[in-house]
Amino acid sequence: MEASNKKKVYKAHILFTKDQSRFEVLENGYVAVEDGCVVGIASDLSTLIGQGSMVNGQWSNGTCCDAEVVDFGDRLLLPAMNDLHVHAPQYRNQGIAMDLELLPWLQNYTFPEESKYADTAYAERMYRRFVRDLWRFGTMRSCVFATSHTESTRLLMRLFREAGMGALVGKVAMNRNCPESLSETVEEMVQVYENLISWCSHEGNLTPHSSLLPPRVRPIITPRFIPSCTPEMLRACGRLAAKYGLPVQSHLSENRDEIALVQALEKDSTCYGDAYDRYGLFGQTPTVMAHCVWTEGEELELMKKNGVMVAHCPTSNFNVASGMAPVRRFLDEGLRVGLGSDISGGHDLSIFRMMVYAIQVSKMLYQQDHGQPFLTLSEAFWLATKSAGSFFGRVGSFEPGYEFDALVIDDSDLNHDHYSLLERLERYIYLGDDRQILHRFCRGKEITEPKY
Ligand code: GUN
Ligand code: FE
């Protein structure tokens, strides 16, 4: 079942961000949900009843008065988390292998681990834990790199589908500067993607649930990064994205040695982003690029012009010693930005914790150059919810028409002295963890703990 159709009204302390500059706070507020989507939100029930409803998947005026009311009492109701960049097959390496920069880190730790995913039994053991742990931390949508292996990638998509969680899953394309076990020919890559796409449409993954809702689990074209892909491979990826209208994800300007390598490999391109652009992989279809630590000038302008989104991964940038991405600058320039855990460059799967790291990175940059203010809490929250959610559809807010992806937080243990609702949220973001998450919803349906 794609969504819960029954009309429901949830009552709780509701906090979310319509825009980056401030929180919407509804103390003892109500949100009405129908057909997987928010159909009304108000501080009191009578106002809610006067609001609209979904009729045949369309927004129209109506009534919510026949809905069942579920009262969560003194709990907080927040939009669920979105992880805009994470590597499922690096799950075993989470929290280890912190002593190298990107290029040797990939060769010494990452590629050997990813090679193990030729074994679907190993993949199943790791991927089940990975999906369950995303669930634990309240991440209901993610943009995921798998490996170059077909069967284990298909398995990962099936696990997300069975769990009821949303994911864009990328079979990784790579054919140079990597071990034989992860390399494939361009023809094999195209064939595998075509098979995956046809398997997904057969499984209903590519059939829209309604005119408003895209399928929850979908493939995403995933060239690993320019050093891993020959020009022919990149060109084929761009063609596949255009042919099937599929989104694209990759890595961009993460590390200085990587950037120098790209310059040497793509001599005609004027910057790293331009190299992707030449192959139709830079906003020709919805595109998200991880890191962008060193993005500026022409590359930044091209991202703005093409609507390419940034996945900011602060813990990864620290652990792999890449640098500090200028998120404040990206926001001020009007770039679209979300947050990513980037396991296992990053060590922390919690997107709540990622908000804290993003704020801390921006404070370090502020210390270097007082020209730009650091990120505020509402900005970080908005990055993780509404801004990142926009890559998946209408996700990440409680405004009418948004998919109801939500978390119910019982912060009673942290709320020991009459904190305000905003203070309670801030303390949960800084101090809380999965133990305080009581319920998780994705597209209106409560998501129970996936088997692992
Ligand atoms: N660039 C190419 N592949 C990777 C990866 O797996 N992790 C990170 N952090 N950067 C990459
Ligand atoms: Fe990454």
Side-chain angles (χ1 to χ4, degrees), residues 141-155:
R141 311 269 178 162
S142 32
C143 225
V144 187
F145 278 56
T147 59
S148 45
H149 308 102
T150 317
E151 283 314 311
S152 52
T153 302
R154 209 197 297 246
L155 170 77

PDB file of all heavy atoms in Angstrom, residues 141-155:
ATOM      1  N   ARG A 141      13.332   9.810   4.282  1.00  0.00           N
ATOM      2  CA  ARG A 141      13.692   9.884   2.850  1.00  0.00           C
ATOM      3  C   ARG A 141      15.197   9.994   2.768  1.00  0.00           C
ATOM      4  O   ARG A 141      15.820  10.770   3.502  1.00  0.00           O
ATOM      5  CB  ARG A 141      13.105  11.132   2.187  1.00  0.00           C
ATOM      6  CG  ARG A 141      11.656  11.356   2.453  1.00  0.00           C
ATOM      7  CD  ARG A 141      10.777  10.714   1.429  1.00  0.00           C
ATOM      8  NE  ARG A 141       9.382  10.943   1.784  1.00  0.00           N
ATOM      9  CZ  ARG A 141       8.367  10.825   0.948  1.00  0.00           C
ATOM     10  NH1 ARG A 141       8.567  10.478  -0.309  1.00  0.00           N
ATOM     11  NH2 ARG A 141       7.134  11.038   1.374  1.00  0.00           N
ATOM     12  N   SER A 142      15.771   9.270   1.824  1.00  0.00           N
ATOM     13  CA  SER A 142      17.210   9.437   1.634  1.00  0.00           C
ATOM     14  C   SER A 142      17.609   9.255   0.176  1.00  0.00           C
ATOM     15  O   SER A 142      16.920   8.615  -0.604  1.00  0.00           O
ATOM     16  CB  SER A 142      18.012   8.498   2.532  1.00  0.00           C
ATOM     17  OG  SER A 142      17.319   7.310   2.743  1.00  0.00           O
ATOM     18  N   CYS A 143      18.716   9.876  -0.127  1.00  0.00           N
ATOM     19  CA  CYS A 143      19.322   9.826  -1.445  1.00  0.00           C
ATOM     20  C   CYS A 143      20.563   8.954  -1.282  1.00  0.00           C
ATOM     21  O   CYS A 143      21.531   9.371  -0.649  1.00  0.00           O
ATOM     22  CB  CYS A 143      19.749  11.244  -1.789  1.00  0.00           C
ATOM     23  SG  CYS A 143      19.325  11.710  -3.399  1.00  0.00           S
ATOM     24  N   VAL A 144      20.520   7.742  -1.815  1.00  0.00           N
ATOM     25  CA  VAL A 144      21.463   6.707  -1.400  1.00  0.00           C
ATOM     26  C   VAL A 144      22.356   6.251  -2.560  1.00  0.00           C
ATOM     27  O   VAL A 144      21.865   5.967  -3.649  1.00  0.00           O
ATOM     28  CB  VAL A 144      20.679   5.471  -0.884  1.00  0.00           C
ATOM     29  CG1 VAL A 144      21.629   4.441  -0.277  1.00  0.00           C
ATOM     30  CG2 VAL A 144      19.643   5.879   0.135  1.00  0.00           C
ATOM     31  N   PHE A 145      23.643   6.145  -2.282  1.00  0.00           N
ATOM     32  CA  PHE A 145      24.561   5.446  -3.176  1.00  0.00           C
ATOM     33  C   PHE A 145      24.557   3.972  -2.756  1.00  0.00           C
ATOM     34  O   PHE A 145      24.755   3.679  -1.571  1.00  0.00           O
ATOM     35  CB  PHE A 145      25.996   5.960  -3.029  1.00  0.00           C
ATOM     36  CG  PHE A 145      26.303   7.215  -3.787  1.00  0.00           C
ATOM     37  CD1 PHE A 145      25.569   8.364  -3.598  1.00  0.00           C
ATOM     38  CD2 PHE A 145      27.362   7.243  -4.688  1.00  0.00           C
ATOM     39  CE1 PHE A 145      25.867   9.531  -4.290  1.00  0.00           C
ATOM     40  CE2 PHE A 145      27.675   8.405  -5.394  1.00  0.00           C
ATOM     41  CZ  PHE A 145      26.920   9.555  -5.196  1.00  0.00           C
ATOM     42  N   ALA A 146      24.365   3.064  -3.719  1.00  0.00           N
ATOM     43  CA  ALA A 146      24.583   1.639  -3.450  1.00  0.00           C
ATOM     44  C   ALA A 146      25.996   1.325  -3.954  1.00  0.00           C
ATOM     45  O   ALA A 146      26.919   2.104  -3.729  1.00  0.00           O
ATOM     46  CB  ALA A 146      23.507   0.799  -4.127  1.00  0.00           C
ATOM     47  N   THR A 147      26.178   0.188  -4.642  1.00  0.00           N
ATOM     48  CA  THR A 147      27.471  -0.109  -5.282  1.00  0.00           C
ATOM     49  C   THR A 147      27.201  -0.318  -6.768  1.00  0.00           C
ATOM     50  O   THR A 147      26.081  -0.101  -7.229  1.00  0.00           O
ATOM     51  CB  THR A 147      28.088  -1.409  -4.719  1.00  0.00           C
ATOM     52  OG1 THR A 147      27.155  -2.481  -4.965  1.00  0.00           O
ATOM     53  CG2 THR A 147      28.385  -1.301  -3.244  1.00  0.00           C
ATOM     54  N   SER A 148      28.216  -0.798  -7.485  1.00  0.00           N
ATOM     55  CA  SER A 148      28.002  -1.084  -8.900  1.00  0.00           C
ATOM     56  C   SER A 148      27.297  -2.429  -9.117  1.00  0.00           C
ATOM     57  O   SER A 148      26.989  -2.778 -10.252  1.00  0.00           O
ATOM     58  CB  SER A 148      29.345  -1.050  -9.641  1.00  0.00           C
ATOM     59  OG  SER A 148      30.326  -1.752  -8.917  1.00  0.00           O
ATOM     60  N   HIS A 149      27.001  -3.168  -8.043  1.00  0.00           N
ATOM     61  CA  HIS A 149      26.395  -4.494  -8.209  1.00  0.00           C
ATOM     62  C   HIS A 149      24.881  -4.408  -8.388  1.00  0.00           C
ATOM     63  O   HIS A 149      24.194  -3.764  -7.601  1.00  0.00           O
ATOM     64  CB  HIS A 149      26.709  -5.361  -6.980  1.00  0.00           C
ATOM     65  CG  HIS A 149      28.165  -5.405  -6.652  1.00  0.00           C
ATOM     66  ND1 HIS A 149      28.723  -4.670  -5.630  1.00  0.00           N
ATOM     67  CD2 HIS A 149      29.189  -6.066  -7.240  1.00  0.00           C
ATOM     68  CE1 HIS A 149      30.026  -4.893  -5.590  1.00  0.00           C
ATOM     69  NE2 HIS A 149      30.331  -5.728  -6.569  1.00  0.00           N
ATOM     70  N   THR A 150      24.375  -5.144  -9.366  1.00  0.00           N
ATOM     71  CA  THR A 150      22.942  -5.078  -9.678  1.00  0.00           C
ATOM     72  C   THR A 150      22.083  -5.706  -8.594  1.00  0.00           C
ATOM     73  O   THR A 150      21.126  -5.091  -8.117  1.00  0.00           O
ATOM     74  CB  THR A 150      22.656  -5.872 -10.976  1.00  0.00           C
ATOM     75  OG1 THR A 150      23.667  -5.564 -11.907  1.00  0.00           O
ATOM     76  CG2 THR A 150      21.305  -5.536 -11.526  1.00  0.00           C
ATOM     77  N   GLU A 151      22.420  -6.961  -8.220  1.00  0.00           N
ATOM     78  CA  GLU A 151      21.505  -7.695  -7.337  1.00  0.00           C
ATOM     79  C   GLU A 151      21.408  -7.048  -5.966  1.00  0.00           C
ATOM     80  O   GLU A 151      20.324  -6.927  -5.400  1.00  0.00           O
ATOM     81  CB  GLU A 151      21.946  -9.162  -7.203  1.00  0.00           C
ATOM     82  CG  GLU A 151      21.581 -10.003  -8.405  1.00  0.00           C
ATOM     83  CD  GLU A 151      20.147  -9.773  -8.881  1.00  0.00           C
ATOM     84  OE1 GLU A 151      19.217  -9.806  -8.054  1.00  0.00           O
ATOM     85  OE2 GLU A 151      19.960  -9.524 -10.096  1.00  0.00           O
ATOM     86  N   SER A 152      22.547  -6.613  -5.437  1.00  0.00           N
ATOM     87  CA  SER A 152      22.463  -6.031  -4.092  1.00  0.00           C
ATOM     88  C   SER A 152      21.782  -4.660  -4.142  1.00  0.00           C
ATOM     89  O   SER A 152      21.123  -4.264  -3.179  1.00  0.00           O
ATOM     90  CB  SER A 152      23.838  -5.980  -3.426  1.00  0.00           C
ATOM     91  OG  SER A 152      24.768  -5.357  -4.248  1.00  0.00           O
ATOM     92  N   THR A 153      21.887  -3.956  -5.275  1.00  0.00           N
ATOM     93  CA  THR A 153      21.183  -2.668  -5.396  1.00  0.00           C
ATOM     94  C   THR A 153      19.674  -2.899  -5.445  1.00  0.00           C
ATOM     95  O   THR A 153      18.889  -2.197  -4.796  1.00  0.00           O
ATOM     96  CB  THR A 153      21.652  -1.926  -6.664  1.00  0.00           C
ATOM     97  OG1 THR A 153      23.061  -1.748  -6.594  1.00  0.00           O
ATOM     98  CG2 THR A 153      20.981  -0.564  -6.781  1.00  0.00           C
ATOM     99  N   ARG A 154      19.277  -3.915  -6.208  1.00  0.00           N
ATOM    100  CA  ARG A 154      17.859  -4.264  -6.286  1.00  0.00           C
ATOM    101  C   ARG A 154      17.319  -4.637  -4.897  1.00  0.00           C
ATOM    102  O   ARG A 154      16.234  -4.248  -4.508  1.00  0.00           O
ATOM    103  CB  ARG A 154      17.729  -5.456  -7.240  1.00  0.00           C
ATOM    104  CG  ARG A 154      16.418  -5.515  -7.971  1.00  0.00           C
ATOM    105  CD  ARG A 154      16.216  -6.889  -8.534  1.00  0.00           C
ATOM    106  NE  ARG A 154      17.181  -7.307  -9.509  1.00  0.00           N
ATOM    107  CZ  ARG A 154      16.895  -7.532 -10.798  1.00  0.00           C
ATOM    108  NH1 ARG A 154      15.700  -7.279 -11.246  1.00  0.00           N
ATOM    109  NH2 ARG A 154      17.811  -7.987 -11.612  1.00  0.00           N
ATOM    110  N   LEU A 155      18.138  -5.372  -4.167  1.00  0.00           N
ATOM    111  CA  LEU A 155      17.773  -5.779  -2.812  1.00  0.00           C
ATOM    112  C   LEU A 155      17.561  -4.545  -1.912  1.00  0.00           C
ATOM    113  O   LEU A 155      16.586  -4.464  -1.156  1.00  0.00           O
ATOM    114  CB  LEU A 155      18.899  -6.655  -2.242  1.00  0.00           C
ATOM    115  CG  LEU A 155      18.812  -6.980  -0.763  1.00  0.00           C
ATOM    116  CD1 LEU A 155      17.766  -8.055  -0.532  1.00  0.00           C
ATOM    117  CD2 LEU A 155      20.160  -7.441  -0.234  1.00  0.00           C
TER     118      LEU A 155
END
